[in-house]
Amino acid sequence: MIDVYISALEIVFSPFSLIAIAVGVGIGLTFGAIPGLSGVTAVGLLVPFTYAMEPTTAILMMVGVYCAATMSGAITAILFNIPGDVMAVATTFDGHPMAERGEAKRALSMVIFGSVVGGLFGALALATIAPQLARVAIAFGPAEFFALAVLGLTAISVLGSGSPKTMLKAILSVLFGLFLATIGSDPVSGASRFVFGNVGLEAGIARVPAIIGLFALGEVLAVLYMSRKYKQPRDTSQLRKGAIFSFPSGEDLKQVRGTLLRAPIVGTIVGILPGSGGTLGALIGYNVEQRFAKNPESFGKGNIQGVAAPESANNAAVGGSMVPLLTLGIPGSSTTAIMLAALTLHGLRPGPLLFRDNPEMTYAIIFGLVVANIVMLFMALFLVRYLLKVLLVRTEVLCFFIVSISLVGAFAIHNRISDMWIALVLGLIGFFVKKYGFSLGGIILGLVLGNLAEDGLILGLSLAGGNWWEFLTRPVALSILLLSALLFVVPIAHQLVSARRNARNGNVAGRPSGSD
Amino acid sequence: MNPLDRLLNAVRPYGEVILLSILLVAAVWLRLSLPDLIRMRRIQAWITLGPDVWPRMLIDLAILCLIGLLLIALVDLRRNLAAGASKEGASVRDIGRWFAIITIICLYIWFLPTGGFILTTFLFGVSYCIVAGLRRPREMLGLPAVFLVASYLLFTQLLSVPLPRGVGILRQLSFHIY
């Protein structure tokens, strides 16, 4: 095993990998900081460029983007009260009041430090939990894989919680993603499905152009549609003084030491749950911290703990969300769903066999997460001031580059013009999905888990002679299905109870939902 | 207010109901056309777990969800209309600009195999800048030029992607560049 660790470290510390991580962190910092764009957009756009790279280098670059974008969404959340990424919503609660008091630098230093602590904790959890889980999962058959796909799709109950309407929209999004995955030749019978006489569709909807369309083009089309919203003047004068950022003061660190122990644990656990990702991790981390705080009434008014908690929780969720990806082949968030597609593009099948067949690569990804967090610490401390200049660039200019890169990137994978059309059509679908409050994360989860779910169901049923009860007589499959049911029902029940309680109290409460 | 904007504001509250109705019609059509859309060979017709089982399950569930959603949307619409709530959204001008950008993207993809990467991308960039309101010559010519140089370096030099060369003389010229 030591040999595997040494080989993995050799991979991570090779110049190419380090450059890839640093480039990824730089891209993540930039995309995360721009409201309207996000880390998911950046990872989606990166996929075609990583095609020419070694799979490990490609995934390390994406890990860098994911870590950094999770952190940098807080920059605009603090300065302008606009989260750069939906994961930074909870950071606005206390971060922006601090900026209004003239403490933007103090808040941002805590964001950077808290994110790194959370990220390192998530990486540690990934290194500890993933190998054990993979050892168990290696004995899984089609019924268990079908159950796992169902577990992955229960993410909709988290992504869509809020009201019956958003719930139904999230379920519909997942169904649409699953439907997209059925287009093309059926792998079992070879029958053509929904190709409408188009030979180009026989191979199915290409994942990468679809991801680029949904996440990059769709986002940009939404920004261009409502570009007035992004035109408000931005005052970055608070950060013009001082060359670089410093670590938080000793007093601040003393104040948040409990926070930096609790919030990453919450973030990691939430991150491991399929589909929940950093947004929910940050919100729950914030709520837990408020309950533990000696002065909960100061939350929402610029409490430094209220900045440290969501940031350390959402970065810990990065490592957490990679646990189901690497061990079971089901993504824990939208970003890991894209990583799953990228790994598949490189001919790799994430899941328990990845640990057996490619242990060096798997551990390199785990160690790479640690390195990405350390690189992020230094790059963020030095670069945040310069990143703010990107925010002053006109939205239309940024959109031009993203549209162009998306289209050429979609072409670059297989050198097919038809892939550009797929990206455009899915970009339009992504736009309507955003506009009408459906779930992009749900579609992508359905798209990447569609084949796993269908193959598991059909193969499992074939082996059982068409007997559906077979799924319920296998203990592991049954346990996973029960867990899925629990994950699906609990948020709905919680929502109904909360709605009833709010109705009784005469107020309305909700929480933002998004894809990360 | 512009009469078209007034019309748009009058239609806007019905947007969700219209969208859901279209999706429901599409889903029902897919369900009814399933035997035509999934071409099974005659010999496979006896297989219980045929290629239509999974899609049929998905479409049936989608129809149920869409009916539920449509009902909720109708209740919401009635409540909003009764309360006189109005939604603020994009103006006709914004939507026109958005459609123009989509049209430019369509034309770009359509013309790319004929015009080749350099000419088509440059024309796309210039047209985008005009539509998006970036009309200073520095922006109109500079942005496409910067993107062309960056994509040339990235795609042809670094990633070895064979970018479209176009036809005729454009194809001959492209060999001098990439």
Side-chain angles (χ1 to χ4, degrees):
Chain A
M1 205 59 200
I2 294 289
D3 294 350
V4 172
Y5 293 151
I6 292 171
S7 303
L9 285 170
E10 274 175 9
I11 296 172
V12 174
F13 287 102
S14 70
F16 269 128
S17 299
L18 288 175
I19 292 169
I21 292 173
V23 170
V25 168
I27 294 170
L29 285 172
T30 313
F31 271 73
I34 300 170
L37 303 180
S38 63
V40 193
T41 315
V43 174
L45 268 179
L46 260 187
V47 178
F49 299 102
T50 58
Y51 192 47
M53 296 179 192
E54 284 288 312
T56 319
T57 316
I59 296 299
L60 288 176
M61 189 185 259
M62 289 180 180
V63 165
V65 175
Y66 191 11
C67 285
T70 306
M71 190 280 284
S72 69
I75 298 170
T76 48
I78 288 171
L79 292 176
F80 315 121
N81 207 22
I82 309 166
D85 195 308
V86 71
M87 283 182 276
V89 163
T91 314
T92 57
F93 304 159
D94 283 276
H96 189 62
M98 283 182 75
E100 284 180 327
R101 284 204 309 253
E103 295 176 352
K105 275 184 79 173
R106 184 181 162 218
L108 282 170
S109 296
M110 184 52 74
V111 162
I112 296 168
F113 188 74
S115 297
V116 172
V117 171
L120 290 175
F121 185 90
L124 188 70
L126 175 66
T128 320
I129 301 167
Q132 315 307 327
L133 199 56
R135 216 162 285 157
V136 176
I138 208 150
F140 286 4
E144 284 76 18
F145 275 106
F146 171 70
L148 276 176
V150 173
L151 178 67
L153 297 173
T154 52
I156 53 172
S157 63
V158 182
L159 288 168
S161 57
S163 69
K165 194 173 176 180
T166 47
M167 181 80 196
L168 281 172
K169 282 184 174 175
I171 295 173
L172 203 59
S173 307
V174 171
L175 290 171
F176 180 67
L178 290 170
F179 175 75
L180 283 181
T182 66
I183 294 174
S185 293
D186 171 39
V188 179
S189 65
S192 297
R193 300 191 294 193
F194 311 110
V195 294
F196 300 98
N198 189 334
V199 182
L201 284 177
E202 285 285 353
I205 296 277
R207 300 276 164 82
V208 179
I211 288 168
I212 291 174
L214 285 169
F215 283 103
L217 270 180
E219 293 270 359
V220 170
L221 291 177
V223 170
L224 285 170
Y225 185 76
M226 289 297 283
S227 59
R228 277 177 304 161
K229 198 175 134 188
Y230 299 95
K231 275 184 182 162
Q232 58 268 58
R234 286 163 184 161
D235 176 20
T236 58
S237 56
Q238 273 205 56
L239 292 174
R240 290 215 174 115
K241 293 167 198 159
I244 59 167
F245 280 83
S246 54
F247 283 100
S249 67
E251 201 182 318
D252 281 348
L253 286 178
K254 204 173 156 189
Q255 212 178 328
V256 300
R257 63 186 171 190
T259 310
L260 294 182
L261 283 174
R262 283 183 293 270
I265 296 174
V266 174
T268 307
I269 294 170
V270 176
I272 292 172
L273 299 176
S276 46
T279 311
L280 192 63
L283 287 160
I284 296 180
Y286 183 87
N287 284 338
V288 168
E289 203 45 43
Q290 200 172 9
R291 280 165 208 259
F292 271 93
K294 288 176 189 156
N295 48 350
E297 69 286 347
S298 66
F299 274 67
K301 294 171 189 162
N303 187 325
I304 192 82
Q305 288 168 279
V307 174
E311 283 307 311
S312 51
N314 65 21
N315 269 74
V318 171
S321 68
M322 290 183 74
V323 172
L325 171 76
L326 294 180
T327 57
L328 306 172
I330 55 171
S333 65
S334 303
T335 314
T336 46
I338 299 176
M339 286 184 186
L340 175 64
L343 281 167
T344 316
L345 187 75
H346 283 280
L348 296 161
R349 175 78 227 168
L353 293 180
L354 199 64
F355 271 87
R356 194 192 67 185
D357 300 340
N358 302 80
E360 290 90 359
M361 192 195 124
T362 317
Y363 282 100
I365 294 171
I366 296 172
F367 296 149
L369 188 58
V370 177
V371 175
N373 275 286
I374 296 165
V375 170
M376 180 180 81
L377 172 69
F378 292 103
M379 284 183 72
L381 288 172
F382 283 95
L383 293 179
V384 165
R385 277 183 71 246
Y386 303 103
L387 271 178
L388 293 170
K389 290 196 193 312
V390 178
L391 295 172
L392 303 175
V393 175
R394 283 181 66 174
T395 312
E396 288 85 355
V397 175
L398 291 174
C399 287
F400 166 71
F401 284 105
I402 294 169
V403 168
S404 310
I405 292 170
S406 301
L407 293 171
V408 184
F411 170 83
I413 288 287
H414 301 296
N415 308 323
R416 289 193 304 227
I417 295 288
S418 60
D419 284 348
M420 295 172 92
W421 287 114
I422 289 177
L424 178 63
V425 170
L426 282 152
L428 287 168
I429 291 171
F431 164 76
F432 283 105
V433 162
K434 275 184 84 76
K435 185 167 159 49
Y436 287 99
F438 289 87
S439 164
L440 269 179
I443 296 181
I444 208 71
L445 276 177
L447 184 63
V448 298
L449 290 178
N451 292 341
L452 182 70
E454 185 180 3
D455 293 353
L457 179 74
I458 300 299
L459 282 175
L461 279 175
S462 301
L463 290 174
N467 179 12
W468 285 80
W469 288 103
E470 178 71 13
F471 284 86
L472 304 178
T473 53
R474 294 176 69 97
V476 177
L478 178 65
S479 311
I480 299 170
L481 286 172
L482 284 175
L483 179 65
S484 310
L486 200 71
L487 280 173
F488 187 79
V489 171
V490 168
I492 299 173
H494 179 257
Q495 198 59 47
L496 288 173
V497 171
S498 304
R500 191 164 291 179
R501 195 181 301 146
N502 286 329
R504 209 180 298 143
N505 296 340
N507 57 15
V508 181
R511 70 162 186 80
S513 67
S515 56
D516 44 46
Chain B
M1 191 191 276
N2 179 327
L4 279 174
D5 277 325
R6 256 203 306 273
L7 179 71
L8 192 66
N9 282 342
V11 175
R12 193 167 277 134
Y14 302 93
E16 193 171 32
V17 172
I18 295 169
L19 177 79
L20 291 171
S21 307
I22 294 170
L23 289 177
L24 184 59
V25 170
V28 170
W29 175 78
L30 272 178
R31 181 68 179 82
L32 296 175
S33 318
L34 215 53
D36 303 324
L37 295 173
I38 298 180
R39 276 188 280 124
M40 282 189 284
R41 290 179 199 107
R42 197 171 286 241
I43 198 163
Q44 290 168 336
W46 58 271
I47 299 174
T48 326
L49 300 167
D52 59 332
V53 172
W54 179 246
R56 197 169 53 218
M57 280 166 62
L58 298 177
I59 296 170
D60 288 348
L61 273 171
I63 290 172
L64 286 177
C65 286
L66 280 165
I67 292 171
L69 261 177
L70 194 58
L71 290 174
I72 297 173
L74 283 168
V75 172
D76 283 354
L77 175 68
R78 204 172 144 189
R79 194 184 300 146
N80 289 340
L81 289 177
S86 64
K87 271 187 185 173
E88 203 206 329
S91 64
V92 170
R93 201 174 154 201
D94 288 336
I95 295 173
R97 195 182 72 151
W98 186 83
F99 268 108
I101 289 173
I102 301 290
T103 311
I104 290 170
I105 295 174
C106 288
L107 287 173
Y108 173 58
I109 302 173
W110 177 72
F111 191 59
L112 196 58
T114 316
F117 181 72
I118 292 181
L119 176 71
T120 318
T121 305
F122 187 77
L123 290 175
F124 165 69
V126 174
S127 333
Y128 171 92
C129 287
I130 293 169
V131 173
L134 304 164
R135 289 181 188 157
R136 281 182 293 185
R138 199 179 60 181
E139 292 170 331
M140 269 171 50
L141 303 175
L143 282 179
V146 168
F147 177 73
L148 271 175
V149 172
S151 52
Y152 163 75
L153 292 172
L154 190 65
F155 288 101
T156 64
Q157 303 301 305
L158 200 66
L159 300 174
S160 308
V161 173
L163 293 169
R165 295 185 180 278
V167 293
I169 190 165
L170 292 167
R171 184 176 169 79
Q172 299 304 319
L173 283 173
S174 77
F175 282 106
H176 294 287
I177 305 169
Y178 57 91

